[in-house]
Amino acid sequence: MMADQTIQKINRLLFYAILIFIVTVFFFPFMWVAFTAFQDAVNAGAVPPDLLAPPTLDNFRQVFEEGGFISCMINSTIVVALTLTANLIVSLPAAYVIARNRQNWMMFLILFMQMAPWITLLLPWYIIFKKLGLYDTYIGLVLSNLTFMIPFTIWLMLGFFEDVPVEVEEAAWLDGCSHLGTFVRIVVPLVKGGIITITTLGFMFCWNIFLFPLVLSGYGTKTLPVFVYGFMDDNQLDFGPLAAASLLTMLPVIIFVLINQKYFRQGIAFGGGK
Amino acid sequence: MLSQRILDYTDRQIRWLFSAPALLVMLGLFAYPMFRLIWTGFTDEVLSSEGKIEFIGVANYVRAFSEDPHFLRSIWLTLYFAVGSTLGQLTLGLGLALFLNRQFKGEATFRMLLMFPIIATPVAMSLVWSMLMNPMMGHLNYYLSLLGLPGSLWAADTSTVLPSLIMIELWHWVPMTMLVLLAGLKSLPKEPFEAATVDGASRFQMFVNITLPLLQPYVFLLLLLRLVHGLKVFDKIFVISGGGPNRASETLNIMIYEQAFGATNFGYASALGSFLLLIILLISIGLFRFRQRKWSY
Amino acid sequence: MSQVKIDKVCKKFGDFEAVKNFSLEIQDGEFIVLVGPSGCGKTTLLRMVAGLETVTSGEIFIDEAQITHMPPKKRDIAMVFQNYALYPHMNVYKNLAFALKLRKMPKPEIKETVKKTADLLGIGDFLNRFPNQLSGGQKQRVALGRAIVRQPKVFLFDEPLSNLDAKLRGSMRAEILDIHQRLNNTSIYVTHDQLEAMTMGTRIIIMKDGAIQQNGTPQEIYNNPVNKFVAGFIGSPAMNVMSCTIKEETGNLMAVNKGMNLTIPAEKTTGLTSYIDQDVYLGLRPEHISDLAGNATKADNSTFKAFVRLVEPLGSEQLIHLEAEDQRFIARIDPRSHITYGETLDFQAQMASATFFDGKTEERIV
């Protein structure tokens, strides 16, 4: 009896010990970056770290003074907002039509469009965008983001639309609703969960994307990830400001996703991620 | 009568118009560029040259396979990275999912913390990792020394750069494979396990004979998805090692980027891109066939 | 209010002909029931009237106006669906008000109309609830209300009661009829349940394989089924149908089967004379087979011996399952008769009420 209880206790202890180890491994970089971002030039690179060193905001000041940080943040915000809005307007109706007329070849195309490597799209885009004057414009960046958002959105929304009973739509038609009216007033409110999921994941994809803006944005529309990359080249080995810049870049997306955690997890579990 | 018929037909078919915007965007930004890519792969187009672009047949492909020793090497490096990180993600993800497939205090907090690597901006995290892996000032070597282990040059050495990158890739994505497999585990029907308990199966027997077969579709699907993802990874490698040192981590993606925007060999880069696209297409077909089978269960 | 005319309507899905050359005229205020086994095309026909399905050929009119190729929203038709099809994200009030709002009715008027309808259906207290907070019966009332509220020209019902349990079905049946009598709308009601058809329809259309089998009042159809299919489909328990041969003996026509020699009364013989020595089907409703228990009548040439396989006492009557040679019958008998399992008794067939069907075409002879 006693022995059983002891074994159980040890088991529990062991379980939590392993748990804490796992958390440490995956969460450690975040603790490090949050710590380092508040250290002065001497302490930031110190090995071993001085945990009791007084925190400072100098690094953040330096990031803001570097110039471009704020405008890049604004660029990122604009591109993300425009992409997500455009994506819903373009993808939801398409997903709805495909959900009602599902065919294998459509499904394959959508899958393949999600699979295609971005670098292969980027080569022709670069030439086309330059020709059409889309290089270094918000529209260009939004279009590039739409290319992965549209297939992803359609793929994820299909299930949501298929769960809307056809009879509910038919009832709306008989009630005197047009096709567009039925879609906007009846179908879209019923797939709200999917829309939040898409917006959450889309915020993450579009905020984090690096390769497209790296090539397609110039001085006028540079986004945060591209800024951080450039900032790294300018401040080699200056850990404090680099950590502060990293922290500031990822903070908005982390906050946004954590607010919609439930939907994020749903989306991840569904798509197996990108 | 006829006009009414036409009106009615239009009214019924008008819903197809709903897909027109998406179709237009995808035609313009996907279909046409794909065509353009493949076509450019047969030319000698050079970036920023206003000069004549000449059709040179399969010369770019000949060059890749017989004249450019780095091409075959980059295929090997790409496979090394993709297969290595896929297998790592699945084994670690499955192990963690099995370990965590129970209810415990602090589950919600734990899951929230584990979501951080997936969410955080990859470029920013790559920067953080490159600082942590700095051979001189980085903390990783310090912690290794605390454990009495020798330090490593990490991304700064040709022999350790790819394993280091794979390690970061695992840190980035194992939480996701774990969450997906955990969701799979939780969705398995209870009855087979209850039946096996009644039949007197041991925990190990249950795992081998029930859990694994039931989980197999999830695992296989994830395997293909992660493999395709691994073949496409760019951000991490580009930021942390830039393909170096000495091109030891220059995978196909990086090579294409360098050829196009560094060496401005647009035609050659497009040929390499078409090749990568073909590989992804083949995997997609396999994946699709598999999904179909799964759907028909 | 309105008449509906369906003229030679066909519907093909690929090679499959779901509805074949279907014609029907429905008068103002009629309650028509389309009944038939699943796959007989009744729902397809209803959906064509609603405009949810295109018409391959033929025409449909409402009040002389051609609506064959009109989109549903312009037809002024309301439909009650089997799974209710309520708008899940709207409360009951909004569900009822939706169509009125689309018609740009002023708000106070909407309020009044919805309230009147809700009171009529006894759902006035639920106006703020959402569909997932309602029971099946309440949902069906809301679905009815949504149809009634806009006073359409024609009501369509697509098996509206089949998702309800048996008891609720009975009371909803009465309620729908009650509403119909009050509002007197032209209605088309589709069901596979012959009991619903019998109790609700002013007229019943029996369908099979996309074509009308019989069109008539419930009584006509019950008493004079045009063919073996209708005879078997309407009535519960179904009509007993057995194959037999017509013989002539001593001036009388007899229906002969192994161990059974039933004399056909004179008034029935007219059509049958040409069938002498041919196979026909003899149909007898369960209530037209009786036991001899109460009667002193001796076994005569309209009686037969049968073995009692099963007795189902239902209170007001009892159903006796019989077996005579290879044939099985069900008889509906006075509950006071004491009949028990295992007996072999004489039963009387009331041949004056019998129906005969052609052995090949299965059409009714007399």
Side-chain angles (χ1 to χ4, degrees), chain A residues 14-16 18-19 22-23 25-30 32-33 36 44-49 89-91 93-94 96-98 100-102 104-108 111-129 131 143-144 146-147 150-151 154-155 169 173 179-180 183 204 207-211 214-215 225-226 228-229 232 237-239 242-243 245-247 249-250 253-254 257-258 261 264-265 268-274, chain B residues 11-19 21-23 25-26 28-30 32-34 36-37 40 45 47 96 99-100 102 104-106 108 110-125 127-132 134 136-140 142-143 170-176 179-180 183 222 224-226 228-229 231-232 234-235 238-240 252-253 256-257 260-261 266 269-270 272-274 276-277 280-281 284-285 287-288 291-292 295:
Chain A
L14 206 67
F15 176 77
Y16 277 101
I18 299 175
L19 207 63
I22 297 170
V23 171
V25 166
F26 286 106
F27 204 67
F28 166 73
F30 296 100
W32 182 85
V33 73
T36 309
V47 179
I89 295 171
V90 170
S91 303
Y96 166 67
V97 172
I98 294 175
R100 289 285 181 246
N101 307 278
R102 193 176 189 144
N104 268 341
W105 60 269
M106 296 180 189
M107 303 306 293
F108 178 74
L111 183 86
F112 178 59
M113 288 193 282
Q114 290 184 75
M115 298 277 145
W118 292 351
I119 185 80
T120 58
L121 287 166
L122 203 54
L123 300 184
W125 280 357
Y126 182 76
I127 291 172
I128 298 168
F129 278 31
K131 236 178 233 166
L143 285 175
S144 70
L146 278 181
T147 312
I150 290 174
I154 293 176
W155 191 256
E169 277 171 43
W173 297 342
H179 289 288
L180 191 63
F183 178 66
M204 183 179 90
W207 185 271
N208 289 345
I209 186 150
F210 171 63
L211 181 54
L214 173 70
V215 175
V226 184
V228 171
Y229 177 67
M232 180 177 118
L237 296 185
D238 210 351
F239 282 12
L242 288 178
S246 303
L247 196 63
T249 301
M250 62 178 113
V253 65
I254 290 179
V257 171
L258 285 188
Q261 241 195 88
F264 176 76
R265 228 178 295 128
I268 288 289
F270 170 84
K274 288 269 304 174
Chain B
D11 186 76
R12 277 172 211 285
Q13 302 302 320
I14 205 129
R15 271 210 295 181
W16 283 103
L17 269 184
F18 283 20
S19 60
L23 207 66
V25 174
M26 292 320 280
L29 288 167
F30 193 90
Y32 173 67
M34 286 288 131
R36 181 78 212 275
L37 173 88
T40 309
E45 186 164 349
L47 195 62
L96 285 180
F99 175 66
L100 294 166
R102 59 173 98 180
F104 56 90
K105 252 190 213 149
F110 174 78
R111 280 208 203 161
M112 194 192 76
L113 291 177
L114 235 59
M115 273 159 49
F116 273 70
I118 316 173
I119 307 165
T121 311
V123 172
M125 283 325 287
L127 176 52
V128 170
W129 275 108
S130 70
M131 290 191 269
L132 284 170
N134 187 299
M136 310 294 292
M137 301 162 67
H139 279 193
L140 281 191
Y142 166 63
Y143 295 121
L170 291 183
W171 172 86
H172 188 178
W173 291 112
V174 162
M176 199 217 61
L179 285 176
V180 172
L222 215 50
L224 286 173
L225 283 172
R226 297 323 298 166
V228 171
H229 175 90
L231 292 174
K232 289 159 54 175
F234 178 85
D235 300 10
F238 187 74
V239 172
I240 294 174
L252 256 180
N253 283 276
I256 295 169
Y257 179 89
F261 301 107
F266 232 68
S270 297
L272 301 182
S274 307
L276 179 61
L277 196 66
I280 302 264
L281 176 69
S284 297
I285 293 173
L287 180 62
F288 190 68
R291 280 221 172 178
Q292 298 258 279
W295 283 333

Side-chain angles (χ1 to χ4, degrees), chain A residues 153-223:
Chain A
T153 306
I154 293 176
W155 191 256
L156 192 135
M157 289 306 295
L158 278 179
F160 285 91
F161 281 119
E162 277 168 357
D163 283 345
V164 177
V166 182
E167 286 87 351
V168 173
E169 277 171 43
E170 293 177 341
W173 297 342
L174 290 167
D175 267 352
C177 228
S178 64
H179 289 288
L180 191 63
T182 307
F183 178 66
V184 173
R185 305 171 83 153
I186 305 295
V187 181
V188 167
L190 294 178
V191 296
K192 233 174 16 196
I195 293 175
I196 302 177
T197 305
I198 280 298
T199 309
T200 310
L201 287 166
F203 189 104
M204 183 179 90
F205 294 146
C206 298
W207 185 271
N208 289 345
I209 186 150
F210 171 63
L211 181 54
F212 292 164
L214 173 70
V215 175
L216 298 176
S217 76
Y219 189 72
T221 55
K222 204 198 269 181
T223 62

